[in-house]
Amino acid sequence: MNLALSMPVSFRLNGRDQVIDVVPDMRLSDILREEIGLAASKIGCGIGRCGACMLLMNGQAVNGCLVMAWQLQGAEITSPEGLHDLETATIVMAALTEENAFQCGYCAPGFVMALTALFIANPQAAEPEILTALEGNICRCTGYHSIIRGALNAADRLRAARSVEGIGDHQS
């Protein structure tokens, strides 16, 4: 890295303040892996088409390979490592696990991120919205049937939990 061209970037990651010096065009996915040491978000295609690097940025699902350092200033980022702090995500993960949604697991963080963002934004999401939210995620192992079953299971679990317990995560 050429330090003469680097800039300080300040953002929140998984609820903790971060300030790092990076070049403005460094990808968020690379920042997480190379500068911060978080590797759950995967680098797949590198052009925003596979979903393996999916993260939450200000409550929205984004591809980490398409977000540059200069865009991070003041942002709230949740990586897969921070999902356990979100009630919605823990329910999504449990439902996907129950349905044996993944084989190798490489794509799992991206699918969980996409579903978590969907259910936080739209707690009543049904199959059409689920399918739309997952369009940018590729799985090379499962054929998607188990993932869709897991997503529908998550939707049912979240509706039940919200009606009984009133749980829910809120967007920033």
Side-chain angles (χ1 to χ4, degrees):
M1 172 172 39
N2 184 343
L3 294 178
L5 298 176
S6 69
M7 61 179 246
V9 178
S10 175
F11 60 99
R12 288 185 61 79
L13 174 63
N14 300 330
R16 303 182 94 178
D17 292 331
Q18 300 283 324
V19 179
I20 59 172
D21 285 319
V22 292
V23 293
D25 63 348
M26 187 173 195
R27 301 178 308 174
L28 175 55
S29 53
D30 294 325
I31 291 170
L32 292 178
R33 296 179 75 81
E34 297 170 17
E35 302 294 323
I36 300 175
L38 299 180
S41 175
K42 309 296 185 218
I43 297 175
C45 68
I47 58 171
R49 294 200 177 161
C50 73
C53 64
M54 188 81 54
L55 303 158
L56 300 182
M57 180 174 181
N58 301 325
Q60 302 293 312
V62 299
N63 290 304
C65 69
L66 298 180
V67 176
M68 301 296 124
W70 62 268
Q71 295 172 294
L72 290 175
Q73 192 64 38
E76 177 78 32
I77 304 295
T78 303
S79 74
E81 291 87 353
L83 286 176
H84 293 288
D85 294 333
L86 300 175
E87 291 176 278
T88 299
T90 59
I91 291 172
V92 167
M93 289 185 280
L96 290 167
T97 300
E98 184 176 290
E99 297 295 337
N100 295 309
F102 305 106
Q103 289 178 26
C104 80
Y106 193 86
C107 65
F111 277 94
V112 173
M113 291 303 240
L115 289 169
T116 298
L118 169 66
F119 290 128
I120 289 173
N122 180 2
Q124 300 303 315
E127 188 169 2
E129 294 86 8
I130 290 168
L131 295 174
T132 298
L134 296 181
E135 281 180 353
N137 293 77
I138 296 174
C139 176
R140 300 188 192 285
C141 299
T142 67
Y144 300 97
H145 297 291
S146 58
I147 296 170
I148 301 302
R149 281 193 317 270
L152 294 170
N153 182 345
D156 291 342
R157 286 174 176 226
L158 287 163
R159 278 190 282 280
R162 283 188 176 96
S163 68
V164 173
E165 303 167 12
I167 71 141
D169 301 298
H170 304 284
Q171 289 181 320
S172 301

mmCIF file of all heavy atoms in Angstrom, residues 88 91-92 114-127 129-130 151-163 166-171:
data_model
loop_
_atom_site.group_PDB
_atom_site.id
_atom_site.type_symbol
_atom_site.label_atom_id
_atom_site.label_comp_id
_atom_site.label_asym_id
_atom_site.label_seq_id
_atom_site.Cartn_x
_atom_site.Cartn_y
_atom_site.Cartn_z
ATOM 1 N N THR A 88 -32.831 -11.402 14.439
ATOM 2 C CA THR A 88 -33.332 -11.880 13.160
ATOM 3 C C THR A 88 -32.341 -12.846 12.525
ATOM 4 O O THR A 88 -32.725 -13.910 12.024
ATOM 5 C CB THR A 88 -33.611 -10.695 12.213
ATOM 6 O OG1 THR A 88 -34.607 -9.865 12.814
ATOM 7 C CG2 THR A 88 -34.094 -11.162 10.850
ATOM 8 N N ILE A 91 -32.261 -16.344 14.111
ATOM 9 C CA ILE A 91 -33.413 -17.150 13.695
ATOM 10 C C ILE A 91 -33.224 -17.639 12.262
ATOM 11 O O ILE A 91 -33.499 -18.807 11.948
ATOM 12 C CB ILE A 91 -34.724 -16.345 13.867
ATOM 13 C CG1 ILE A 91 -34.999 -16.151 15.368
ATOM 14 C CG2 ILE A 91 -35.891 -17.035 13.166
ATOM 15 C CD1 ILE A 91 -36.146 -15.217 15.681
ATOM 16 N N VAL A 92 -32.724 -16.778 11.389
ATOM 17 C CA VAL A 92 -32.456 -17.172 10.000
ATOM 18 C C VAL A 92 -31.436 -18.312 9.978
ATOM 19 O O VAL A 92 -31.633 -19.327 9.291
ATOM 20 C CB VAL A 92 -31.964 -15.966 9.166
ATOM 21 C CG1 VAL A 92 -31.373 -16.412 7.831
ATOM 22 C CG2 VAL A 92 -33.100 -14.972 8.936
ATOM 23 N N ALA A 114 -28.265 -11.673 3.118
ATOM 24 C CA ALA A 114 -29.366 -11.225 2.264
ATOM 25 C C ALA A 114 -30.711 -11.446 2.953
ATOM 26 O O ALA A 114 -31.581 -10.567 2.939
ATOM 27 C CB ALA A 114 -29.320 -11.954 0.921
ATOM 28 N N LEU A 115 -30.884 -12.610 3.560
ATOM 29 C CA LEU A 115 -32.151 -12.901 4.242
ATOM 30 C C LEU A 115 -32.337 -12.031 5.477
ATOM 31 O O LEU A 115 -33.445 -11.555 5.745
ATOM 32 C CB LEU A 115 -32.227 -14.380 4.613
ATOM 33 C CG LEU A 115 -32.421 -15.335 3.443
ATOM 34 C CD1 LEU A 115 -32.224 -16.777 3.886
ATOM 35 C CD2 LEU A 115 -33.785 -15.131 2.797
ATOM 36 N N THR A 116 -31.271 -11.806 6.217
ATOM 37 C CA THR A 116 -31.367 -10.955 7.407
ATOM 38 C C THR A 116 -31.782 -9.541 7.010
ATOM 39 O O THR A 116 -32.683 -8.957 7.619
ATOM 40 C CB THR A 116 -30.032 -10.948 8.175
ATOM 41 O OG1 THR A 116 -29.754 -12.285 8.618
ATOM 42 C CG2 THR A 116 -30.077 -10.012 9.366
ATOM 43 N N ALA A 117 -31.140 -8.988 5.990
ATOM 44 C CA ALA A 117 -31.503 -7.639 5.525
ATOM 45 C C ALA A 117 -32.958 -7.597 5.087
ATOM 46 O O ALA A 117 -33.693 -6.652 5.415
ATOM 47 C CB ALA A 117 -30.589 -7.211 4.383
ATOM 48 N N LEU A 118 -33.398 -8.625 4.370
ATOM 49 C CA LEU A 118 -34.789 -8.678 3.910
ATOM 50 C C LEU A 118 -35.754 -8.684 5.086
ATOM 51 O O LEU A 118 -36.686 -7.874 5.134
ATOM 52 C CB LEU A 118 -35.022 -9.925 3.060
ATOM 53 C CG LEU A 118 -36.489 -10.237 2.741
ATOM 54 C CD1 LEU A 118 -37.096 -9.156 1.851
ATOM 55 C CD2 LEU A 118 -36.629 -11.614 2.117
ATOM 56 N N PHE A 119 -35.537 -9.588 6.042
ATOM 57 C CA PHE A 119 -36.492 -9.733 7.144
ATOM 58 C C PHE A 119 -36.460 -8.558 8.124
ATOM 59 O O PHE A 119 -37.462 -8.284 8.771
ATOM 60 C CB PHE A 119 -36.289 -11.059 7.863
ATOM 61 C CG PHE A 119 -36.693 -12.252 7.034
ATOM 62 C CD1 PHE A 119 -35.820 -13.305 6.854
ATOM 63 C CD2 PHE A 119 -37.937 -12.319 6.422
ATOM 64 C CE1 PHE A 119 -36.180 -14.411 6.102
ATOM 65 C CE2 PHE A 119 -38.312 -13.406 5.665
ATOM 66 C CZ PHE A 119 -37.427 -14.466 5.498
ATOM 67 N N ILE A 120 -35.334 -7.865 8.211
ATOM 68 C CA ILE A 120 -35.311 -6.657 9.041
ATOM 69 C C ILE A 120 -36.124 -5.554 8.350
ATOM 70 O O ILE A 120 -36.913 -4.865 8.980
ATOM 71 C CB ILE A 120 -33.870 -6.202 9.337
ATOM 72 C CG1 ILE A 120 -33.205 -7.176 10.318
ATOM 73 C CG2 ILE A 120 -33.856 -4.775 9.905
ATOM 74 C CD1 ILE A 120 -31.730 -6.922 10.541
ATOM 75 N N ALA A 121 -35.948 -5.422 7.045
ATOM 76 C CA ALA A 121 -36.665 -4.381 6.297
ATOM 77 C C ALA A 121 -38.133 -4.727 6.086
ATOM 78 O O ALA A 121 -38.982 -3.837 6.063
ATOM 79 C CB ALA A 121 -35.989 -4.156 4.947
ATOM 80 N N ASN A 122 -38.427 -6.019 5.924
ATOM 81 C CA ASN A 122 -39.790 -6.450 5.618
ATOM 82 C C ASN A 122 -40.103 -7.702 6.429
ATOM 83 O O ASN A 122 -39.961 -8.828 5.920
ATOM 84 C CB ASN A 122 -39.936 -6.722 4.118
ATOM 85 C CG ASN A 122 -41.332 -7.161 3.739
ATOM 86 O OD1 ASN A 122 -42.236 -7.246 4.576
ATOM 87 N ND2 ASN A 122 -41.523 -7.462 2.467
ATOM 88 N N PRO A 123 -40.522 -7.547 7.675
ATOM 89 C CA PRO A 123 -40.774 -8.706 8.528
ATOM 90 C C PRO A 123 -41.840 -9.657 7.994
ATOM 91 O O PRO A 123 -41.866 -10.817 8.372
ATOM 92 C CB PRO A 123 -41.240 -8.076 9.851
ATOM 93 C CG PRO A 123 -40.740 -6.687 9.823
ATOM 94 C CD PRO A 123 -40.710 -6.274 8.380
ATOM 95 N N GLN A 124 -42.681 -9.179 7.105
ATOM 96 C CA GLN A 124 -43.749 -10.023 6.558
ATOM 97 C C GLN A 124 -43.385 -10.611 5.194
ATOM 98 O O GLN A 124 -44.260 -11.123 4.486
ATOM 99 C CB GLN A 124 -45.043 -9.208 6.444
ATOM 100 C CG GLN A 124 -45.546 -8.655 7.759
ATOM 101 C CD GLN A 124 -45.770 -9.755 8.797
ATOM 102 O OE1 GLN A 124 -46.332 -10.797 8.501
ATOM 103 N NE2 GLN A 124 -45.321 -9.515 10.022
ATOM 104 N N ALA A 125 -42.125 -10.560 4.822
ATOM 105 C CA ALA A 125 -41.712 -11.051 3.505
ATOM 106 C C ALA A 125 -42.159 -12.492 3.293
ATOM 107 O O ALA A 125 -42.065 -13.329 4.185
ATOM 108 C CB ALA A 125 -40.198 -10.945 3.357
ATOM 109 N N ALA A 126 -42.667 -12.743 2.102
ATOM 110 C CA ALA A 126 -43.119 -14.075 1.711
ATOM 111 C C ALA A 126 -42.230 -14.570 0.567
ATOM 112 O O ALA A 126 -41.262 -13.915 0.189
ATOM 113 C CB ALA A 126 -44.586 -14.023 1.295
ATOM 114 N N GLU A 127 -42.600 -15.696 0.002
ATOM 115 C CA GLU A 127 -41.747 -16.334 -1.001
ATOM 116 C C GLU A 127 -41.342 -15.424 -2.167
ATOM 117 O O GLU A 127 -40.168 -15.418 -2.544
ATOM 118 C CB GLU A 127 -42.385 -17.619 -1.530
ATOM 119 C CG GLU A 127 -41.449 -18.404 -2.416
ATOM 120 C CD GLU A 127 -41.952 -19.795 -2.732
ATOM 121 O OE1 GLU A 127 -43.057 -20.177 -2.302
ATOM 122 O OE2 GLU A 127 -41.223 -20.516 -3.438
ATOM 123 N N GLU A 129 -40.821 -12.192 -2.278
ATOM 124 C CA GLU A 129 -39.801 -11.249 -1.797
ATOM 125 C C GLU A 129 -38.507 -11.985 -1.452
ATOM 126 O O GLU A 129 -37.412 -11.463 -1.680
ATOM 127 C CB GLU A 129 -40.309 -10.482 -0.574
ATOM 128 C CG GLU A 129 -41.467 -9.541 -0.845
ATOM 129 C CD GLU A 129 -42.835 -10.202 -0.771
ATOM 130 O OE1 GLU A 129 -42.935 -11.378 -0.355
ATOM 131 O OE2 GLU A 129 -43.814 -9.536 -1.140
ATOM 132 N N ILE A 130 -38.640 -13.174 -0.900
ATOM 133 C CA ILE A 130 -37.453 -13.977 -0.567
ATOM 134 C C ILE A 130 -36.673 -14.301 -1.841
ATOM 135 O O ILE A 130 -35.454 -14.127 -1.896
ATOM 136 C CB ILE A 130 -37.856 -15.269 0.176
ATOM 137 C CG1 ILE A 130 -38.351 -14.915 1.586
ATOM 138 C CG2 ILE A 130 -36.701 -16.256 0.220
ATOM 139 C CD1 ILE A 130 -39.033 -16.064 2.310
ATOM 140 N N ALA A 151 -35.246 -20.571 4.027
ATOM 141 C CA ALA A 151 -35.712 -19.179 4.041
ATOM 142 C C ALA A 151 -37.189 -19.103 4.420
ATOM 143 O O ALA A 151 -37.597 -18.236 5.206
ATOM 144 C CB ALA A 151 -35.474 -18.532 2.684
ATOM 145 N N LEU A 152 -37.996 -20.005 3.880
ATOM 146 C CA LEU A 152 -39.425 -20.037 4.228
ATOM 147 C C LEU A 152 -39.619 -20.443 5.690
ATOM 148 O O LEU A 152 -40.496 -19.902 6.380
ATOM 149 C CB LEU A 152 -40.182 -20.975 3.292
ATOM 150 C CG LEU A 152 -40.249 -20.521 1.829
ATOM 151 C CD1 LEU A 152 -40.801 -21.634 0.943
ATOM 152 C CD2 LEU A 152 -41.054 -19.245 1.688
ATOM 153 N N ASN A 153 -38.801 -21.359 6.159
ATOM 154 C CA ASN A 153 -38.816 -21.754 7.567
ATOM 155 C C ASN A 153 -38.482 -20.536 8.433
ATOM 156 O O ASN A 153 -39.143 -20.278 9.445
ATOM 157 C CB ASN A 153 -37.806 -22.892 7.777
ATOM 158 C CG ASN A 153 -37.754 -23.420 9.192
ATOM 159 O OD1 ASN A 153 -38.236 -22.817 10.137
ATOM 160 N ND2 ASN A 153 -37.116 -24.573 9.344
ATOM 161 N N ALA A 154 -37.473 -19.781 8.028
ATOM 162 C CA ALA A 154 -37.092 -18.576 8.770
ATOM 163 C C ALA A 154 -38.241 -17.575 8.798
ATOM 164 O O ALA A 154 -38.524 -16.968 9.843
ATOM 165 C CB ALA A 154 -35.850 -17.939 8.156
ATOM 166 N N ALA A 155 -38.904 -17.394 7.672
ATOM 167 C CA ALA A 155 -40.036 -16.458 7.613
ATOM 168 C C ALA A 155 -41.121 -16.878 8.594
ATOM 169 O O ALA A 155 -41.661 -16.039 9.337
ATOM 170 C CB ALA A 155 -40.587 -16.383 6.191
ATOM 171 N N ASP A 156 -41.436 -18.178 8.617
ATOM 172 C CA ASP A 156 -42.449 -18.683 9.552
ATOM 173 C C ASP A 156 -42.011 -18.481 11.000
ATOM 174 O O ASP A 156 -42.802 -18.045 11.840
ATOM 175 C CB ASP A 156 -42.723 -20.172 9.302
ATOM 176 C CG ASP A 156 -43.432 -20.434 7.984
ATOM 177 O OD1 ASP A 156 -44.022 -19.485 7.418
ATOM 178 O OD2 ASP A 156 -43.380 -21.595 7.518
ATOM 179 N N ARG A 157 -40.757 -18.809 11.301
ATOM 180 C CA ARG A 157 -40.230 -18.654 12.666
ATOM 181 C C ARG A 157 -40.257 -17.187 13.106
ATOM 182 O O ARG A 157 -40.588 -16.885 14.245
ATOM 183 C CB ARG A 157 -38.794 -19.154 12.753
ATOM 184 C CG ARG A 157 -38.640 -20.643 12.729
ATOM 185 C CD ARG A 157 -37.158 -20.980 12.683
ATOM 186 N NE ARG A 157 -36.924 -22.395 12.762
ATOM 187 C CZ ARG A 157 -36.013 -22.947 13.554
ATOM 188 N NH1 ARG A 157 -35.258 -22.204 14.326
ATOM 189 N NH2 ARG A 157 -35.844 -24.245 13.560
ATOM 190 N N LEU A 158 -39.877 -16.296 12.199
ATOM 191 C CA LEU A 158 -39.850 -14.873 12.541
ATOM 192 C C LEU A 158 -41.256 -14.332 12.778
ATOM 193 O O LEU A 158 -41.469 -13.558 13.714
ATOM 194 C CB LEU A 158 -39.134 -14.077 11.449
ATOM 195 C CG LEU A 158 -37.620 -14.274 11.429
ATOM 196 C CD1 LEU A 158 -37.031 -13.818 10.104
ATOM 197 C CD2 LEU A 158 -36.975 -13.541 12.596
ATOM 198 N N ARG A 159 -42.201 -14.727 11.941
ATOM 199 C CA ARG A 159 -43.583 -14.285 12.154
ATOM 200 C C ARG A 159 -44.097 -14.786 13.504
ATOM 201 O O ARG A 159 -44.723 -14.045 14.261
ATOM 202 C CB ARG A 159 -44.482 -14.758 11.019
ATOM 203 C CG ARG A 159 -44.411 -13.871 9.787
ATOM 204 C CD ARG A 159 -45.483 -14.215 8.767
ATOM 205 N NE ARG A 159 -45.160 -15.396 7.991
ATOM 206 C CZ ARG A 159 -44.330 -15.402 6.945
ATOM 207 N NH1 ARG A 159 -43.760 -14.282 6.558
ATOM 208 N NH2 ARG A 159 -44.097 -16.513 6.286
ATOM 209 N N ALA A 160 -43.824 -16.038 13.820
ATOM 210 C CA ALA A 160 -44.270 -16.612 15.102
ATOM 211 C C ALA A 160 -43.600 -15.903 16.274
ATOM 212 O O ALA A 160 -44.259 -15.553 17.261
ATOM 213 C CB ALA A 160 -43.978 -18.105 15.138
ATOM 214 N N ALA A 161 -42.310 -15.674 16.176
ATOM 215 C CA ALA A 161 -41.578 -15.016 17.264
ATOM 216 C C ALA A 161 -42.049 -13.585 17.466
ATOM 217 O O ALA A 161 -42.178 -13.120 18.604
ATOM 218 C CB ALA A 161 -40.078 -15.042 16.980
ATOM 219 N N ARG A 162 -42.310 -12.888 16.379
ATOM 220 C CA ARG A 162 -42.756 -11.497 16.494
ATOM 221 C C ARG A 162 -44.151 -11.416 17.108
ATOM 222 O O ARG A 162 -44.441 -10.508 17.865
ATOM 223 C CB ARG A 162 -42.716 -10.812 15.143
ATOM 224 C CG ARG A 162 -41.310 -10.429 14.738
ATOM 225 C CD ARG A 162 -41.276 -9.586 13.484
ATOM 226 N NE ARG A 162 -39.917 -9.186 13.209
ATOM 227 C CZ ARG A 162 -39.099 -9.824 12.374
ATOM 228 N NH1 ARG A 162 -39.514 -10.881 11.714
ATOM 229 N NH2 ARG A 162 -37.872 -9.401 12.195
ATOM 230 N N SER A 163 -45.009 -12.358 16.772
ATOM 231 C CA SER A 163 -46.366 -12.306 17.315
ATOM 232 C C SER A 163 -46.402 -12.677 18.791
ATOM 233 O O SER A 163 -47.212 -12.152 19.543
ATOM 234 C CB SER A 163 -47.299 -13.212 16.510
ATOM 235 O OG SER A 163 -46.973 -14.565 16.707
ATOM 236 N N GLY A 166 -42.591 -10.324 20.277
ATOM 237 C CA GLY A 166 -42.344 -8.966 19.816
ATOM 238 C C GLY A 166 -40.900 -8.691 19.498
ATOM 239 O O GLY A 166 -40.436 -7.566 19.625
ATOM 240 N N ILE A 167 -40.132 -9.723 19.042
ATOM 241 C CA ILE A 167 -38.726 -9.506 18.755
ATOM 242 C C ILE A 167 -38.576 -8.704 17.475
ATOM 243 O O ILE A 167 -39.510 -8.582 16.686
ATOM 244 C CB ILE A 167 -37.932 -10.821 18.631
ATOM 245 C CG1 ILE A 167 -38.327 -11.550 17.348
ATOM 246 C CG2 ILE A 167 -38.070 -11.682 19.826
ATOM 247 C CD1 ILE A 167 -37.153 -12.184 16.687
ATOM 248 N N GLY A 168 -37.377 -8.237 17.261
ATOM 249 C CA GLY A 168 -37.083 -7.556 16.009
ATOM 250 C C GLY A 168 -35.851 -6.709 16.124
ATOM 251 O O GLY A 168 -35.529 -6.179 17.173
ATOM 252 N N ASP A 169 -35.133 -6.637 15.028
ATOM 253 C CA ASP A 169 -33.979 -5.764 14.928
ATOM 254 C C ASP A 169 -34.438 -4.536 14.175
ATOM 255 O O ASP A 169 -35.366 -4.595 13.384
ATOM 256 C CB ASP A 169 -32.859 -6.464 14.138
ATOM 257 C CG ASP A 169 -32.447 -7.769 14.801
ATOM 258 O OD1 ASP A 169 -31.977 -7.699 15.940
ATOM 259 O OD2 ASP A 169 -32.608 -8.828 14.162
ATOM 260 N N HIS A 170 -33.776 -3.465 14.424
ATOM 261 C CA HIS A 170 -34.185 -2.208 13.782
ATOM 262 C C HIS A 170 -33.048 -1.696 12.927
ATOM 263 O O HIS A 170 -31.882 -1.793 13.293
ATOM 264 C CB HIS A 170 -34.587 -1.178 14.825
ATOM 265 C CG HIS A 170 -35.664 -1.699 15.724
ATOM 266 N ND1 HIS A 170 -36.965 -1.794 15.321
ATOM 267 C CD2 HIS A 170 -35.617 -2.190 16.981
ATOM 268 C CE1 HIS A 170 -37.693 -2.313 16.303
ATOM 269 N NE2 HIS A 170 -36.892 -2.563 17.319
ATOM 270 N N GLN A 171 -33.418 -1.131 11.787
ATOM 271 C CA GLN A 171 -32.417 -0.545 10.911
ATOM 272 C C GLN A 171 -31.840 0.693 11.564
ATOM 273 O O GLN A 171 -32.495 1.401 12.318
ATOM 274 C CB GLN A 171 -33.024 -0.154 9.573
ATOM 275 C CG GLN A 171 -33.388 -1.344 8.725
ATOM 276 C CD GLN A 171 -33.955 -0.891 7.405
ATOM 277 O OE1 GLN A 171 -34.714 0.067 7.335
ATOM 278 N NE2 GLN A 171 -33.596 -1.581 6.371
#
